Amino acid sequence: MSRRFLWLLLSLLSPLVLATPDLSRVVLCRDVVQREPVGVLQGDQLPKGLDKLVLFTEVHGGAGQKLHHRWYFNGALQADIALPLGADRWRTWSQKHIRPGTWRLEVLSDDGTLLYQHTLVESTAP
């Protein structure tokens, strides 16, 4: 076999054998400082007055692939953020300015596999 043929064969098969990234941590928080989440949020209710939300993920495996953070507001997709994974252990995050309503956050692998989903409601009461 020629080298060119082997290279072509490997380039076609490599997406099939790439491992799906394994989420080791998913954290909803107010900010990230020195690559660590701060102001961690618990539960399904967003605190009143919160104007920014951060979705922090740590993965093992998947170097060279992308992780997708999807942000939905009241059922409508607001953002699909593709985050490259630079190593087999990688921390990455995305953030959105939020408003009162229902937010659904999803984390997907490059092949579209749903790895995480969480719905949050921010109260509209004063």
PDB file of all heavy atoms in Angstrom, residues 22-46:
ATOM      1  N   ASP A  22     -15.356  12.483  27.885  1.00  0.00           N
ATOM      2  CA  ASP A  22     -16.006  12.104  29.137  1.00  0.00           C
ATOM      3  C   ASP A  22     -16.044  13.324  30.047  1.00  0.00           C
ATOM      4  O   ASP A  22     -14.998  13.866  30.397  1.00  0.00           O
ATOM      5  CB  ASP A  22     -15.221  10.961  29.792  1.00  0.00           C
ATOM      6  CG  ASP A  22     -15.840  10.484  31.073  1.00  0.00           C
ATOM      7  OD1 ASP A  22     -17.086  10.495  31.176  1.00  0.00           O
ATOM      8  OD2 ASP A  22     -15.086  10.100  31.982  1.00  0.00           O
ATOM      9  N   LEU A  23     -17.259  13.776  30.402  1.00  0.00           N
ATOM     10  CA  LEU A  23     -17.380  14.927  31.298  1.00  0.00           C
ATOM     11  C   LEU A  23     -17.022  14.507  32.718  1.00  0.00           C
ATOM     12  O   LEU A  23     -17.652  13.637  33.289  1.00  0.00           O
ATOM     13  CB  LEU A  23     -18.809  15.464  31.288  1.00  0.00           C
ATOM     14  CG  LEU A  23     -19.276  16.172  30.029  1.00  0.00           C
ATOM     15  CD1 LEU A  23     -20.730  16.607  30.178  1.00  0.00           C
ATOM     16  CD2 LEU A  23     -18.409  17.358  29.720  1.00  0.00           C
ATOM     17  N   SER A  24     -16.011  15.132  33.276  1.00  0.00           N
ATOM     18  CA  SER A  24     -15.671  14.843  34.666  1.00  0.00           C
ATOM     19  C   SER A  24     -16.250  15.890  35.610  1.00  0.00           C
ATOM     20  O   SER A  24     -16.443  15.615  36.783  1.00  0.00           O
ATOM     21  CB  SER A  24     -14.157  14.742  34.841  1.00  0.00           C
ATOM     22  OG  SER A  24     -13.523  15.911  34.404  1.00  0.00           O
ATOM     23  N   ARG A  25     -16.530  17.100  35.079  1.00  0.00           N
ATOM     24  CA  ARG A  25     -17.155  18.150  35.889  1.00  0.00           C
ATOM     25  C   ARG A  25     -17.994  19.043  34.991  1.00  0.00           C
ATOM     26  O   ARG A  25     -17.558  19.434  33.907  1.00  0.00           O
ATOM     27  CB  ARG A  25     -16.097  19.053  36.542  1.00  0.00           C
ATOM     28  CG  ARG A  25     -15.725  18.706  37.917  1.00  0.00           C
ATOM     29  CD  ARG A  25     -14.999  19.833  38.648  1.00  0.00           C
ATOM     30  NE  ARG A  25     -13.832  20.354  37.956  1.00  0.00           N
ATOM     31  CZ  ARG A  25     -13.150  21.415  38.379  1.00  0.00           C
ATOM     32  NH1 ARG A  25     -13.528  22.067  39.476  1.00  0.00           N
ATOM     33  NH2 ARG A  25     -12.091  21.849  37.726  1.00  0.00           N
ATOM     34  N   VAL A  26     -19.180  19.364  35.456  1.00  0.00           N
ATOM     35  CA  VAL A  26     -20.018  20.387  34.838  1.00  0.00           C
ATOM     36  C   VAL A  26     -20.511  21.263  35.976  1.00  0.00           C
ATOM     37  O   VAL A  26     -21.107  20.765  36.931  1.00  0.00           O
ATOM     38  CB  VAL A  26     -21.217  19.789  34.076  1.00  0.00           C
ATOM     39  CG1 VAL A  26     -22.054  20.901  33.459  1.00  0.00           C
ATOM     40  CG2 VAL A  26     -20.767  18.808  33.020  1.00  0.00           C
ATOM     41  N   VAL A  27     -20.239  22.562  35.882  1.00  0.00           N
ATOM     42  CA  VAL A  27     -20.572  23.481  36.972  1.00  0.00           C
ATOM     43  C   VAL A  27     -21.224  24.725  36.386  1.00  0.00           C
ATOM     44  O   VAL A  27     -20.730  25.295  35.406  1.00  0.00           O
ATOM     45  CB  VAL A  27     -19.302  23.883  37.760  1.00  0.00           C
ATOM     46  CG1 VAL A  27     -19.634  24.866  38.868  1.00  0.00           C
ATOM     47  CG2 VAL A  27     -18.599  22.652  38.320  1.00  0.00           C
ATOM     48  N   LEU A  28     -22.316  25.136  36.990  1.00  0.00           N
ATOM     49  CA  LEU A  28     -22.930  26.427  36.679  1.00  0.00           C
ATOM     50  C   LEU A  28     -22.455  27.401  37.746  1.00  0.00           C
ATOM     51  O   LEU A  28     -22.556  27.115  38.941  1.00  0.00           O
ATOM     52  CB  LEU A  28     -24.448  26.315  36.685  1.00  0.00           C
ATOM     53  CG  LEU A  28     -25.006  25.315  35.672  1.00  0.00           C
ATOM     54  CD1 LEU A  28     -26.497  25.119  35.883  1.00  0.00           C
ATOM     55  CD2 LEU A  28     -24.718  25.768  34.264  1.00  0.00           C
ATOM     56  N   CYS A  29     -21.929  28.533  37.309  1.00  0.00           N
ATOM     57  CA  CYS A  29     -21.324  29.453  38.267  1.00  0.00           C
ATOM     58  C   CYS A  29     -21.429  30.900  37.778  1.00  0.00           C
ATOM     59  O   CYS A  29     -21.920  31.161  36.681  1.00  0.00           O
ATOM     60  CB  CYS A  29     -19.866  29.069  38.513  1.00  0.00           C
ATOM     61  SG  CYS A  29     -18.848  29.043  37.022  1.00  0.00           S
ATOM     62  N   ARG A  30     -20.952  31.797  38.621  1.00  0.00           N
ATOM     63  CA  ARG A  30     -20.992  33.231  38.301  1.00  0.00           C
ATOM     64  C   ARG A  30     -19.774  33.668  37.488  1.00  0.00           C
ATOM     65  O   ARG A  30     -19.835  34.640  36.751  1.00  0.00           O
ATOM     66  CB  ARG A  30     -21.071  34.052  39.583  1.00  0.00           C
ATOM     67  CG  ARG A  30     -22.356  33.847  40.348  1.00  0.00           C
ATOM     68  CD  ARG A  30     -22.305  34.583  41.680  1.00  0.00           C
ATOM     69  NE  ARG A  30     -23.465  34.288  42.492  1.00  0.00           N
ATOM     70  CZ  ARG A  30     -24.554  35.040  42.527  1.00  0.00           C
ATOM     71  NH1 ARG A  30     -24.636  36.126  41.797  1.00  0.00           N
ATOM     72  NH2 ARG A  30     -25.567  34.702  43.289  1.00  0.00           N
ATOM     73  N   ASP A  31     -18.649  32.959  37.657  1.00  0.00           N
ATOM     74  CA  ASP A  31     -17.411  33.374  36.984  1.00  0.00           C
ATOM     75  C   ASP A  31     -16.400  32.232  37.007  1.00  0.00           C
ATOM     76  O   ASP A  31     -16.612  31.220  37.695  1.00  0.00           O
ATOM     77  CB  ASP A  31     -16.824  34.602  37.681  1.00  0.00           C
ATOM     78  CG  ASP A  31     -15.952  35.450  36.762  1.00  0.00           C
ATOM     79  OD1 ASP A  31     -15.741  35.063  35.591  1.00  0.00           O
ATOM     80  OD2 ASP A  31     -15.483  36.509  37.218  1.00  0.00           O
ATOM     81  N   VAL A  32     -15.314  32.402  36.277  1.00  0.00           N
ATOM     82  CA  VAL A  32     -14.183  31.475  36.300  1.00  0.00           C
ATOM     83  C   VAL A  32     -12.942  32.302  36.570  1.00  0.00           C
ATOM     84  O   VAL A  32     -12.695  33.307  35.902  1.00  0.00           O
ATOM     85  CB  VAL A  32     -14.048  30.718  34.955  1.00  0.00           C
ATOM     86  CG1 VAL A  32     -12.786  29.867  34.944  1.00  0.00           C
ATOM     87  CG2 VAL A  32     -15.276  29.859  34.704  1.00  0.00           C
ATOM     88  N   VAL A  33     -12.167  31.891  37.590  1.00  0.00           N
ATOM     89  CA  VAL A  33     -10.929  32.570  37.951  1.00  0.00           C
ATOM     90  C   VAL A  33      -9.818  31.531  37.979  1.00  0.00           C
ATOM     91  O   VAL A  33      -9.957  30.493  38.638  1.00  0.00           O
ATOM     92  CB  VAL A  33     -11.062  33.269  39.327  1.00  0.00           C
ATOM     93  CG1 VAL A  33      -9.731  33.882  39.749  1.00  0.00           C
ATOM     94  CG2 VAL A  33     -12.164  34.315  39.293  1.00  0.00           C
ATOM     95  N   GLN A  34      -8.749  31.788  37.264  1.00  0.00           N
ATOM     96  CA  GLN A  34      -7.617  30.872  37.144  1.00  0.00           C
ATOM     97  C   GLN A  34      -8.085  29.459  36.754  1.00  0.00           C
ATOM     98  O   GLN A  34      -7.691  28.467  37.347  1.00  0.00           O
ATOM     99  CB  GLN A  34      -6.783  30.856  38.422  1.00  0.00           C
ATOM    100  CG  GLN A  34      -6.133  32.193  38.696  1.00  0.00           C
ATOM    101  CD  GLN A  34      -5.280  32.193  39.945  1.00  0.00           C
ATOM    102  OE1 GLN A  34      -5.208  31.211  40.689  1.00  0.00           O
ATOM    103  NE2 GLN A  34      -4.621  33.309  40.181  1.00  0.00           N
ATOM    104  N   ARG A  35      -8.977  29.414  35.787  1.00  0.00           N
ATOM    105  CA  ARG A  35      -9.527  28.181  35.210  1.00  0.00           C
ATOM    106  C   ARG A  35     -10.324  27.318  36.196  1.00  0.00           C
ATOM    107  O   ARG A  35     -10.473  26.114  36.016  1.00  0.00           O
ATOM    108  CB  ARG A  35      -8.421  27.347  34.558  1.00  0.00           C
ATOM    109  CG  ARG A  35      -7.767  28.024  33.394  1.00  0.00           C
ATOM    110  CD  ARG A  35      -6.843  27.085  32.647  1.00  0.00           C
ATOM    111  NE  ARG A  35      -6.236  27.774  31.537  1.00  0.00           N
ATOM    112  CZ  ARG A  35      -4.994  28.228  31.522  1.00  0.00           C
ATOM    113  NH1 ARG A  35      -4.212  28.051  32.554  1.00  0.00           N
ATOM    114  NH2 ARG A  35      -4.518  28.849  30.467  1.00  0.00           N
ATOM    115  N   GLU A  36     -10.849  27.956  37.238  1.00  0.00           N
ATOM    116  CA  GLU A  36     -11.688  27.260  38.209  1.00  0.00           C
ATOM    117  C   GLU A  36     -12.973  28.051  38.416  1.00  0.00           C
ATOM    118  O   GLU A  36     -12.954  29.282  38.493  1.00  0.00           O
ATOM    119  CB  GLU A  36     -10.976  27.083  39.545  1.00  0.00           C
ATOM    120  CG  GLU A  36      -9.914  26.008  39.537  1.00  0.00           C
ATOM    121  CD  GLU A  36     -10.471  24.611  39.282  1.00  0.00           C
ATOM    122  OE1 GLU A  36     -11.579  24.286  39.776  1.00  0.00           O
ATOM    123  OE2 GLU A  36      -9.794  23.829  38.588  1.00  0.00           O
ATOM    124  N   PRO A  37     -14.118  27.340  38.538  1.00  0.00           N
ATOM    125  CA  PRO A  37     -15.398  28.032  38.741  1.00  0.00           C
ATOM    126  C   PRO A  37     -15.488  28.672  40.120  1.00  0.00           C
ATOM    127  O   PRO A  37     -15.012  28.102  41.103  1.00  0.00           O
ATOM    128  CB  PRO A  37     -16.431  26.916  38.583  1.00  0.00           C
ATOM    129  CG  PRO A  37     -15.693  25.648  38.826  1.00  0.00           C
ATOM    130  CD  PRO A  37     -14.264  25.890  38.459  1.00  0.00           C
ATOM    131  N   VAL A  38     -16.069  29.868  40.177  1.00  0.00           N
ATOM    132  CA  VAL A  38     -16.326  30.549  41.453  1.00  0.00           C
ATOM    133  C   VAL A  38     -17.787  30.993  41.465  1.00  0.00           C
ATOM    134  O   VAL A  38     -18.384  31.232  40.420  1.00  0.00           O
ATOM    135  CB  VAL A  38     -15.389  31.756  41.683  1.00  0.00           C
ATOM    136  CG1 VAL A  38     -13.944  31.325  41.825  1.00  0.00           C
ATOM    137  CG2 VAL A  38     -15.513  32.778  40.570  1.00  0.00           C
ATOM    138  N   GLY A  39     -18.350  31.088  42.660  1.00  0.00           N
ATOM    139  CA  GLY A  39     -19.760  31.452  42.792  1.00  0.00           C
ATOM    140  C   GLY A  39     -20.659  30.362  42.235  1.00  0.00           C
ATOM    141  O   GLY A  39     -21.569  30.628  41.454  1.00  0.00           O
ATOM    142  N   VAL A  40     -20.408  29.135  42.669  1.00  0.00           N
ATOM    143  CA  VAL A  40     -21.139  27.970  42.149  1.00  0.00           C
ATOM    144  C   VAL A  40     -22.621  28.063  42.512  1.00  0.00           C
ATOM    145  O   VAL A  40     -22.973  28.396  43.642  1.00  0.00           O
ATOM    146  CB  VAL A  40     -20.528  26.663  42.702  1.00  0.00           C
ATOM    147  CG1 VAL A  40     -21.347  25.455  42.288  1.00  0.00           C
ATOM    148  CG2 VAL A  40     -19.086  26.527  42.237  1.00  0.00           C
ATOM    149  N   LEU A  41     -23.469  27.774  41.523  1.00  0.00           N
ATOM    150  CA  LEU A  41     -24.919  27.794  41.718  1.00  0.00           C
ATOM    151  C   LEU A  41     -25.423  26.383  41.920  1.00  0.00           C
ATOM    152  O   LEU A  41     -24.947  25.442  41.277  1.00  0.00           O
ATOM    153  CB  LEU A  41     -25.613  28.421  40.516  1.00  0.00           C
ATOM    154  CG  LEU A  41     -25.153  29.827  40.152  1.00  0.00           C
ATOM    155  CD1 LEU A  41     -25.830  30.288  38.877  1.00  0.00           C
ATOM    156  CD2 LEU A  41     -25.418  30.795  41.281  1.00  0.00           C
ATOM    157  N   GLN A  42     -26.403  26.219  42.801  1.00  0.00           N
ATOM    158  CA  GLN A  42     -26.995  24.918  43.094  1.00  0.00           C
ATOM    159  C   GLN A  42     -28.475  24.943  42.736  1.00  0.00           C
ATOM    160  O   GLN A  42     -29.116  25.982  42.819  1.00  0.00           O
ATOM    161  CB  GLN A  42     -26.845  24.579  44.589  1.00  0.00           C
ATOM    162  CG  GLN A  42     -25.419  24.582  45.091  1.00  0.00           C
ATOM    163  CD  GLN A  42     -24.593  23.441  44.546  1.00  0.00           C
ATOM    164  OE1 GLN A  42     -25.107  22.378  44.246  1.00  0.00           O
ATOM    165  NE2 GLN A  42     -23.298  23.665  44.400  1.00  0.00           N
ATOM    166  N   GLY A  43     -29.013  23.812  42.352  1.00  0.00           N
ATOM    167  CA  GLY A  43     -30.451  23.695  42.124  1.00  0.00           C
ATOM    168  C   GLY A  43     -30.894  24.201  40.764  1.00  0.00           C
ATOM    169  O   GLY A  43     -30.092  24.382  39.846  1.00  0.00           O
ATOM    170  N   ASP A  44     -32.207  24.441  40.669  1.00  0.00           N
ATOM    171  CA  ASP A  44     -32.828  24.817  39.400  1.00  0.00           C
ATOM    172  C   ASP A  44     -33.290  26.271  39.353  1.00  0.00           C
ATOM    173  O   ASP A  44     -33.850  26.700  38.357  1.00  0.00           O
ATOM    174  CB  ASP A  44     -34.041  23.912  39.128  1.00  0.00           C
ATOM    175  CG  ASP A  44     -33.638  22.456  38.975  1.00  0.00           C
ATOM    176  OD1 ASP A  44     -32.486  22.202  38.580  1.00  0.00           O
ATOM    177  OD2 ASP A  44     -34.479  21.585  39.259  1.00  0.00           O
ATOM    178  N   GLN A  45     -33.100  27.023  40.444  1.00  0.00           N
ATOM    179  CA  GLN A  45     -33.517  28.418  40.498  1.00  0.00           C
ATOM    180  C   GLN A  45     -32.290  29.317  40.409  1.00  0.00           C
ATOM    181  O   GLN A  45     -31.316  29.126  41.138  1.00  0.00           O
ATOM    182  CB  GLN A  45     -34.256  28.718  41.810  1.00  0.00           C
ATOM    183  CG  GLN A  45     -35.586  28.016  41.942  1.00  0.00           C
ATOM    184  CD  GLN A  45     -36.644  28.663  41.059  1.00  0.00           C
ATOM    185  OE1 GLN A  45     -36.707  29.874  40.928  1.00  0.00           O
ATOM    186  NE2 GLN A  45     -37.489  27.841  40.459  1.00  0.00           N
ATOM    187  N   LEU A  46     -32.365  30.310  39.518  1.00  0.00           N
ATOM    188  CA  LEU A  46     -31.296  31.298  39.440  1.00  0.00           C
ATOM    189  C   LEU A  46     -31.559  32.395  40.469  1.00  0.00           C
ATOM    190  O   LEU A  46     -32.694  32.828  40.639  1.00  0.00           O
ATOM    191  CB  LEU A  46     -31.244  31.921  38.045  1.00  0.00           C
ATOM    192  CG  LEU A  46     -30.822  30.969  36.937  1.00  0.00           C
ATOM    193  CD1 LEU A  46     -31.023  31.622  35.582  1.00  0.00           C
ATOM    194  CD2 LEU A  46     -29.377  30.574  37.113  1.00  0.00           C
TER     195      LEU A  46
END
